[in-house]
Amino acid sequence: MKKIVFATNNAHKLQELRQIMSGHYEVVGLADIGCHDDIPETADTIEGNALLKAKYVSEHYGMDCFSDDTGLEIEALGGEPGVMSARYGGVAHDSERNISKVLNKMQGQTNRRARFRTAIALIANGQTHIFEGEVRGTILTERHGTGGFGYDSIFKPDEADCTFAEMSADQKNAISHRGRAVARLAAFMSRKN
Ligand code: IMP
């Protein structure tokens, strides 16, 4: 079976993609190819960051690769936190701080529209492809639910009556930004095979 690298160290994401691509590709993570480098994510868009990571692996390891990057874009904040989503509160991957900063900045705001956007960059057979997925919704005034991660507890998608943090993983995947981008990637990859 053909091997493809998913440029991530996130075991949960890796497992999810392995399941989706099973039968078509063997999906391996960065650790599996011995890559422990701190791959730069210095672009100013999520597409740019996804591409940086995929390019890094394809150039340094000579393997086909895909990579994802996600941002939460809030209308009233001019698209923030956007590409800064992981470190909006000042400390990388500190979701509590990130959420507190959003809730503070959104105090008194009546326009609470927002969307999550995921970009997946694929470099295969020397060609580059970008797949996107988005989900629209609203930012609540306080946290609801304890599941999920990141900004899940303050984001209510339009398709549901509760936040992502109050859903099962399957319910979330069916409508989420990442779920939709991954479905497009998987459809493309299965056509190629
Ligand atoms: P990443 O590109 O998937 O690492 O996402 C960047 C940041 O966006 C994460 O650190 C989270 O704060 C946020 N994020 C990404 N995906 C989700 C999600 O599905 N729910 C809530 N927050 C997310």
Side-chain angles (χ1 to χ4, degrees):
M1 207 182 322
K2 206 166 172 202
K3 223 181 234 194
I4 189 151
V5 181
F6 181 11
T8 186
N9 287 311
N10 181 322
H12 175 82
K13 283 189 190 175
L14 192 57
Q15 180 53 27
E16 186 180 295
L17 267 287
R18 274 197 179 124
Q19 226 161 19
I20 292 170
M21 305 259 190
S22 67
H24 297 294
Y25 288 86
E26 182 190 349
V27 182
V28 297
L30 289 175
D32 299 314
I33 58 166
C35 175
H36 302 286
D37 309 348
D38 199 9
I39 303 178
E41 292 187 52
T42 48
D44 54 10
T45 60
I46 58 168
E47 290 82 0
N49 273 338
L51 209 49
L52 273 183
K53 287 184 273 182
K55 267 190 186 152
Y56 185 94
V57 171
S58 107
E59 279 167 13
H60 288 76
Y61 294 85
M63 297 176 77
D64 287 352
C65 174
F66 63 89
S67 162
D68 74 331
D69 201 47
T70 294
L72 171 65
E73 299 173 351
I74 302 174
E75 257 183 35
L77 303 183
E80 283 185 11
V83 74
M84 297 292 288
S85 291
R87 56 206 133 105
Y88 195 49
V91 179
H93 305 294
D94 187 333
S95 295
E96 279 313 301
R97 276 184 187 238
N98 291 341
I99 289 177
S100 296
K101 180 162 177 188
V102 166
L103 291 180
N104 282 339
K105 285 197 144 194
M106 290 294 284
Q107 249 175 31
Q109 266 295 344
T110 48
N111 175 10
R112 310 204 59 101
R113 298 296 297 156
R115 66 176 179 175
F116 273 111
R117 235 163 40 84
T118 292
I120 295 180
L122 166 71
I123 300 181
N125 305 317
Q127 299 219 324
T128 301
H129 306 270
I130 302 278
F131 304 92
E132 285 196 34
E134 73 164 36
V135 58
R136 292 174 182 269
T138 48
I139 300 295
L140 304 186
T141 52
E142 55 186 31
R143 296 164 174 83
H144 288 265
T146 52
F149 72 103
Y151 300 90
D152 275 350
S153 65
I154 56 166
F155 184 83
K156 190 195 83 60
D158 291 340
E159 291 94 331
D161 293 326
C162 60
T163 66
F164 273 154
E166 296 173 293
M167 294 180 190
S168 70
D170 283 348
Q171 278 173 314
K172 180 183 168 187
N173 287 339
I175 57 169
S176 82
H177 44 299
R178 194 165 27 259
R180 286 172 173 159
V182 165
R184 292 191 173 126
L185 168 76
F188 177 84
M189 303 276 278
S190 63
R191 279 202 302 276
K192 291 234 120 193
N193 220 292

PDB file of all heavy atoms in Angstrom, residues 13 53 68-71 85-86 93 95 98 116 149-152 164 172 177-178, ligand 1:
ATOM      1  N   LYS A  13      -5.580  13.138  15.718  1.00  0.00           N
ATOM      2  CA  LYS A  13      -5.801  13.463  14.301  1.00  0.00           C
ATOM      3  C   LYS A  13      -5.274  12.342  13.413  1.00  0.00           C
ATOM      4  O   LYS A  13      -5.891  11.979  12.424  1.00  0.00           O
ATOM      5  CB  LYS A  13      -5.048  14.747  13.933  1.00  0.00           C
ATOM      6  CG  LYS A  13      -5.683  16.031  14.395  1.00  0.00           C
ATOM      7  CD  LYS A  13      -4.917  17.187  13.757  1.00  0.00           C
ATOM      8  CE  LYS A  13      -5.293  18.526  14.308  1.00  0.00           C
ATOM      9  NZ  LYS A  13      -4.458  19.597  13.762  1.00  0.00           N
ATOM     10  N   LYS A  53       4.295  23.352   6.093  1.00  0.00           N
ATOM     11  CA  LYS A  53       4.559  22.069   6.766  1.00  0.00           C
ATOM     12  C   LYS A  53       4.660  20.937   5.743  1.00  0.00           C
ATOM     13  O   LYS A  53       5.554  20.088   5.830  1.00  0.00           O
ATOM     14  CB  LYS A  53       3.445  21.761   7.782  1.00  0.00           C
ATOM     15  CG  LYS A  53       3.516  22.642   9.018  1.00  0.00           C
ATOM     16  CD  LYS A  53       2.461  22.260  10.042  1.00  0.00           C
ATOM     17  CE  LYS A  53       1.145  22.944   9.798  1.00  0.00           C
ATOM     18  NZ  LYS A  53       0.109  22.646  10.789  1.00  0.00           N
ATOM     19  N   ASP A  68      -2.398  19.984   7.859  1.00  0.00           N
ATOM     20  CA  ASP A  68      -3.582  20.826   8.039  1.00  0.00           C
ATOM     21  C   ASP A  68      -3.293  22.014   8.942  1.00  0.00           C
ATOM     22  O   ASP A  68      -2.364  21.989   9.747  1.00  0.00           O
ATOM     23  CB  ASP A  68      -4.747  20.003   8.622  1.00  0.00           C
ATOM     24  CG  ASP A  68      -4.544  19.677  10.097  1.00  0.00           C
ATOM     25  OD1 ASP A  68      -3.385  19.573  10.534  1.00  0.00           O
ATOM     26  OD2 ASP A  68      -5.555  19.529  10.808  1.00  0.00           O
ATOM     27  N   ASP A  69      -4.083  23.046   8.772  1.00  0.00           N
ATOM     28  CA  ASP A  69      -4.008  24.188   9.683  1.00  0.00           C
ATOM     29  C   ASP A  69      -5.414  24.765   9.812  1.00  0.00           C
ATOM     30  O   ASP A  69      -6.162  24.800   8.834  1.00  0.00           O
ATOM     31  CB  ASP A  69      -3.038  25.240   9.158  1.00  0.00           C
ATOM     32  CG  ASP A  69      -2.556  26.159  10.274  1.00  0.00           C
ATOM     33  OD1 ASP A  69      -2.163  25.663  11.341  1.00  0.00           O
ATOM     34  OD2 ASP A  69      -2.595  27.396  10.091  1.00  0.00           O
ATOM     35  N   THR A  70      -5.765  25.176  11.014  1.00  0.00           N
ATOM     36  CA  THR A  70      -7.125  25.645  11.290  1.00  0.00           C
ATOM     37  C   THR A  70      -7.111  27.005  11.965  1.00  0.00           C
ATOM     38  O   THR A  70      -6.211  27.293  12.761  1.00  0.00           O
ATOM     39  CB  THR A  70      -7.853  24.631  12.215  1.00  0.00           C
ATOM     40  OG1 THR A  70      -8.035  23.419  11.496  1.00  0.00           O
ATOM     41  CG2 THR A  70      -9.211  25.140  12.666  1.00  0.00           C
ATOM     42  N   GLY A  71      -8.118  27.818  11.669  1.00  0.00           N
ATOM     43  CA  GLY A  71      -8.262  29.096  12.362  1.00  0.00           C
ATOM     44  C   GLY A  71      -9.722  29.375  12.662  1.00  0.00           C
ATOM     45  O   GLY A  71     -10.614  28.970  11.907  1.00  0.00           O
ATOM     46  N   SER A  85      -4.834  31.471  16.079  1.00  0.00           N
ATOM     47  CA  SER A  85      -5.763  30.766  16.970  1.00  0.00           C
ATOM     48  C   SER A  85      -5.088  29.969  18.084  1.00  0.00           C
ATOM     49  O   SER A  85      -5.550  29.963  19.219  1.00  0.00           O
ATOM     50  CB  SER A  85      -6.678  29.833  16.166  1.00  0.00           C
ATOM     51  OG  SER A  85      -7.559  30.606  15.388  1.00  0.00           O
ATOM     52  N   ALA A  86      -3.989  29.297  17.779  1.00  0.00           N
ATOM     53  CA  ALA A  86      -3.349  28.427  18.781  1.00  0.00           C
ATOM     54  C   ALA A  86      -2.728  29.235  19.923  1.00  0.00           C
ATOM     55  O   ALA A  86      -2.632  28.757  21.048  1.00  0.00           O
ATOM     56  CB  ALA A  86      -2.278  27.561  18.117  1.00  0.00           C
ATOM     57  N   HIS A  93      -1.153  26.970  22.632  1.00  0.00           N
ATOM     58  CA  HIS A  93      -2.025  25.848  22.999  1.00  0.00           C
ATOM     59  C   HIS A  93      -2.635  25.959  24.400  1.00  0.00           C
ATOM     60  O   HIS A  93      -3.015  24.955  24.987  1.00  0.00           O
ATOM     61  CB  HIS A  93      -1.290  24.510  22.852  1.00  0.00           C
ATOM     62  CG  HIS A  93      -0.715  24.335  21.483  1.00  0.00           C
ATOM     63  ND1 HIS A  93      -1.510  24.215  20.365  1.00  0.00           N
ATOM     64  CD2 HIS A  93       0.562  24.317  21.049  1.00  0.00           C
ATOM     65  CE1 HIS A  93      -0.735  24.117  19.309  1.00  0.00           C
ATOM     66  NE2 HIS A  93       0.523  24.178  19.681  1.00  0.00           N
ATOM     67  N   SER A  95      -5.731  26.811  25.826  1.00  0.00           N
ATOM     68  CA  SER A  95      -7.098  27.090  25.374  1.00  0.00           C
ATOM     69  C   SER A  95      -7.856  27.987  26.345  1.00  0.00           C
ATOM     70  O   SER A  95      -8.663  28.819  25.932  1.00  0.00           O
ATOM     71  CB  SER A  95      -7.878  25.789  25.201  1.00  0.00           C
ATOM     72  OG  SER A  95      -7.311  25.029  24.182  1.00  0.00           O
ATOM     73  N   ASN A  98      -6.872  31.467  25.637  1.00  0.00           N
ATOM     74  CA  ASN A  98      -7.384  31.856  24.314  1.00  0.00           C
ATOM     75  C   ASN A  98      -8.869  32.206  24.406  1.00  0.00           C
ATOM     76  O   ASN A  98      -9.315  33.237  23.889  1.00  0.00           O
ATOM     77  CB  ASN A  98      -7.198  30.710  23.311  1.00  0.00           C
ATOM     78  CG  ASN A  98      -5.741  30.472  22.962  1.00  0.00           C
ATOM     79  OD1 ASN A  98      -4.901  31.343  23.166  1.00  0.00           O
ATOM     80  ND2 ASN A  98      -5.431  29.304  22.433  1.00  0.00           N
ATOM     81  N   PHE A 116     -15.093  28.521  11.682  1.00  0.00           N
ATOM     82  CA  PHE A 116     -13.826  27.800  11.718  1.00  0.00           C
ATOM     83  C   PHE A 116     -13.473  27.461  10.279  1.00  0.00           C
ATOM     84  O   PHE A 116     -14.346  27.037   9.501  1.00  0.00           O
ATOM     85  CB  PHE A 116     -13.974  26.465  12.463  1.00  0.00           C
ATOM     86  CG  PHE A 116     -13.789  26.547  13.939  1.00  0.00           C
ATOM     87  CD1 PHE A 116     -14.864  26.351  14.792  1.00  0.00           C
ATOM     88  CD2 PHE A 116     -12.529  26.783  14.488  1.00  0.00           C
ATOM     89  CE1 PHE A 116     -14.694  26.407  16.168  1.00  0.00           C
ATOM     90  CE2 PHE A 116     -12.358  26.839  15.869  1.00  0.00           C
ATOM     91  CZ  PHE A 116     -13.444  26.651  16.700  1.00  0.00           C
ATOM     92  N   PHE A 149     -11.896  20.350  22.291  1.00  0.00           N
ATOM     93  CA  PHE A 149     -10.668  21.073  22.653  1.00  0.00           C
ATOM     94  C   PHE A 149     -10.747  22.479  22.082  1.00  0.00           C
ATOM     95  O   PHE A 149     -11.745  22.853  21.463  1.00  0.00           O
ATOM     96  CB  PHE A 149      -9.440  20.322  22.114  1.00  0.00           C
ATOM     97  CG  PHE A 149      -9.270  20.413  20.620  1.00  0.00           C
ATOM     98  CD1 PHE A 149      -8.329  21.267  20.054  1.00  0.00           C
ATOM     99  CD2 PHE A 149     -10.070  19.660  19.786  1.00  0.00           C
ATOM    100  CE1 PHE A 149      -8.183  21.364  18.674  1.00  0.00           C
ATOM    101  CE2 PHE A 149      -9.938  19.747  18.399  1.00  0.00           C
ATOM    102  CZ  PHE A 149      -8.993  20.602  17.854  1.00  0.00           C
ATOM    103  N   GLY A 150      -9.681  23.229  22.294  1.00  0.00           N
ATOM    104  CA  GLY A 150      -9.596  24.579  21.709  1.00  0.00           C
ATOM    105  C   GLY A 150     -10.790  25.436  22.094  1.00  0.00           C
ATOM    106  O   GLY A 150     -11.161  25.525  23.264  1.00  0.00           O
ATOM    107  N   TYR A 151     -11.425  26.043  21.096  1.00  0.00           N
ATOM    108  CA  TYR A 151     -12.526  26.981  21.321  1.00  0.00           C
ATOM    109  C   TYR A 151     -13.899  26.290  21.306  1.00  0.00           C
ATOM    110  O   TYR A 151     -14.929  26.961  21.238  1.00  0.00           O
ATOM    111  CB  TYR A 151     -12.511  28.060  20.232  1.00  0.00           C
ATOM    112  CG  TYR A 151     -11.237  28.879  20.191  1.00  0.00           C
ATOM    113  CD1 TYR A 151     -10.159  28.483  19.402  1.00  0.00           C
ATOM    114  CD2 TYR A 151     -11.118  30.049  20.932  1.00  0.00           C
ATOM    115  CE1 TYR A 151      -8.987  29.229  19.348  1.00  0.00           C
ATOM    116  CE2 TYR A 151      -9.957  30.802  20.890  1.00  0.00           C
ATOM    117  CZ  TYR A 151      -8.893  30.384  20.095  1.00  0.00           C
ATOM    118  OH  TYR A 151      -7.744  31.139  20.045  1.00  0.00           O
ATOM    119  N   ASP A 152     -13.911  24.961  21.350  1.00  0.00           N
ATOM    120  CA  ASP A 152     -15.168  24.212  21.194  1.00  0.00           C
ATOM    121  C   ASP A 152     -16.276  24.672  22.134  1.00  0.00           C
ATOM    122  O   ASP A 152     -17.443  24.695  21.749  1.00  0.00           O
ATOM    123  CB  ASP A 152     -14.921  22.712  21.426  1.00  0.00           C
ATOM    124  CG  ASP A 152     -14.453  22.014  20.162  1.00  0.00           C
ATOM    125  OD1 ASP A 152     -14.498  22.643  19.081  1.00  0.00           O
ATOM    126  OD2 ASP A 152     -14.036  20.847  20.255  1.00  0.00           O
ATOM    127  N   PHE A 164     -19.801  22.677  20.105  1.00  0.00           N
ATOM    128  CA  PHE A 164     -18.988  21.512  19.740  1.00  0.00           C
ATOM    129  C   PHE A 164     -18.578  20.725  20.990  1.00  0.00           C
ATOM    130  O   PHE A 164     -18.427  19.509  20.944  1.00  0.00           O
ATOM    131  CB  PHE A 164     -17.716  21.958  19.012  1.00  0.00           C
ATOM    132  CG  PHE A 164     -17.877  22.123  17.514  1.00  0.00           C
ATOM    133  CD1 PHE A 164     -17.054  23.005  16.816  1.00  0.00           C
ATOM    134  CD2 PHE A 164     -18.799  21.376  16.803  1.00  0.00           C
ATOM    135  CE1 PHE A 164     -17.160  23.135  15.441  1.00  0.00           C
ATOM    136  CE2 PHE A 164     -18.915  21.500  15.423  1.00  0.00           C
ATOM    137  CZ  PHE A 164     -18.091  22.386  14.740  1.00  0.00           C
ATOM    138  N   LYS A 172     -19.556  15.913  15.862  1.00  0.00           N
ATOM    139  CA  LYS A 172     -18.725  17.066  15.487  1.00  0.00           C
ATOM    140  C   LYS A 172     -18.070  16.841  14.128  1.00  0.00           C
ATOM    141  O   LYS A 172     -18.118  17.703  13.253  1.00  0.00           O
ATOM    142  CB  LYS A 172     -17.661  17.323  16.572  1.00  0.00           C
ATOM    143  CG  LYS A 172     -16.776  18.515  16.231  1.00  0.00           C
ATOM    144  CD  LYS A 172     -15.678  18.752  17.238  1.00  0.00           C
ATOM    145  CE  LYS A 172     -14.671  19.754  16.669  1.00  0.00           C
ATOM    146  NZ  LYS A 172     -13.494  19.926  17.490  1.00  0.00           N
ATOM    147  N   HIS A 177     -15.406  21.912  10.308  1.00  0.00           N
ATOM    148  CA  HIS A 177     -14.423  22.426   9.349  1.00  0.00           C
ATOM    149  C   HIS A 177     -13.426  21.347   8.939  1.00  0.00           C
ATOM    150  O   HIS A 177     -13.232  21.068   7.771  1.00  0.00           O
ATOM    151  CB  HIS A 177     -13.712  23.604  10.024  1.00  0.00           C
ATOM    152  CG  HIS A 177     -13.326  23.343  11.461  1.00  0.00           C
ATOM    153  ND1 HIS A 177     -14.255  23.064  12.432  1.00  0.00           N
ATOM    154  CD2 HIS A 177     -12.126  23.241  12.074  1.00  0.00           C
ATOM    155  CE1 HIS A 177     -13.657  22.839  13.578  1.00  0.00           C
ATOM    156  NE2 HIS A 177     -12.350  22.930  13.385  1.00  0.00           N
ATOM    157  N   ARG A 178     -12.806  20.699   9.959  1.00  0.00           N
ATOM    158  CA  ARG A 178     -11.770  19.701   9.650  1.00  0.00           C
ATOM    159  C   ARG A 178     -12.400  18.473   8.985  1.00  0.00           C
ATOM    160  O   ARG A 178     -11.876  17.943   8.015  1.00  0.00           O
ATOM    161  CB  ARG A 178     -11.016  19.297  10.915  1.00  0.00           C
ATOM    162  CG  ARG A 178      -9.737  18.531  10.632  1.00  0.00           C
ATOM    163  CD  ARG A 178      -8.808  18.442  11.833  1.00  0.00           C
ATOM    164  NE  ARG A 178      -9.526  18.524  13.073  1.00  0.00           N
ATOM    165  CZ  ARG A 178      -9.604  19.618  13.822  1.00  0.00           C
ATOM    166  NH1 ARG A 178      -8.928  20.696  13.493  1.00  0.00           N
ATOM    167  NH2 ARG A 178     -10.305  19.637  14.925  1.00  0.00           N
TER     168      ARG A 178
HETATM  169  P1  IMP B   1      -4.528  23.405  14.394  1.00  0.00           P
HETATM  170  O1  IMP B   1      -4.039  24.046  13.137  1.00  0.00           O
HETATM  171  O2  IMP B   1      -5.441  22.249  14.137  1.00  0.00           O
HETATM  172  O3  IMP B   1      -3.414  23.075  15.347  1.00  0.00           O
HETATM  173  O4  IMP B   1      -5.440  24.479  15.130  1.00  0.00           O
HETATM  174  C1  IMP B   1      -4.956  25.714  15.612  1.00  0.00           C
HETATM  175  C2  IMP B   1      -5.776  26.146  16.816  1.00  0.00           C
HETATM  176  O5  IMP B   1      -7.129  26.370  16.416  1.00  0.00           O
HETATM  177  C3  IMP B   1      -5.853  25.103  17.911  1.00  0.00           C
HETATM  178  O6  IMP B   1      -4.781  25.255  18.823  1.00  0.00           O
HETATM  179  C4  IMP B   1      -7.185  25.425  18.576  1.00  0.00           C
HETATM  180  O7  IMP B   1      -7.053  26.482  19.491  1.00  0.00           O
HETATM  181  C5  IMP B   1      -8.020  25.902  17.414  1.00  0.00           C
HETATM  182  N1  IMP B   1      -8.819  24.794  16.847  1.00  0.00           N
HETATM  183  C6  IMP B   1      -8.498  24.014  15.788  1.00  0.00           C
HETATM  184  N2  IMP B   1      -9.454  23.119  15.536  1.00  0.00           N
HETATM  185  C7  IMP B   1     -10.410  23.326  16.481  1.00  0.00           C
HETATM  186  C8  IMP B   1     -11.649  22.689  16.761  1.00  0.00           C
HETATM  187  O8  IMP B   1     -12.082  21.730  16.099  1.00  0.00           O
HETATM  188  N3  IMP B   1     -12.346  23.186  17.798  1.00  0.00           N
HETATM  189  C9  IMP B   1     -11.917  24.227  18.563  1.00  0.00           C
HETATM  190  N4  IMP B   1     -10.767  24.832  18.359  1.00  0.00           N
HETATM  191  C10 IMP B   1      -9.999  24.391  17.320  1.00  0.00           C
END
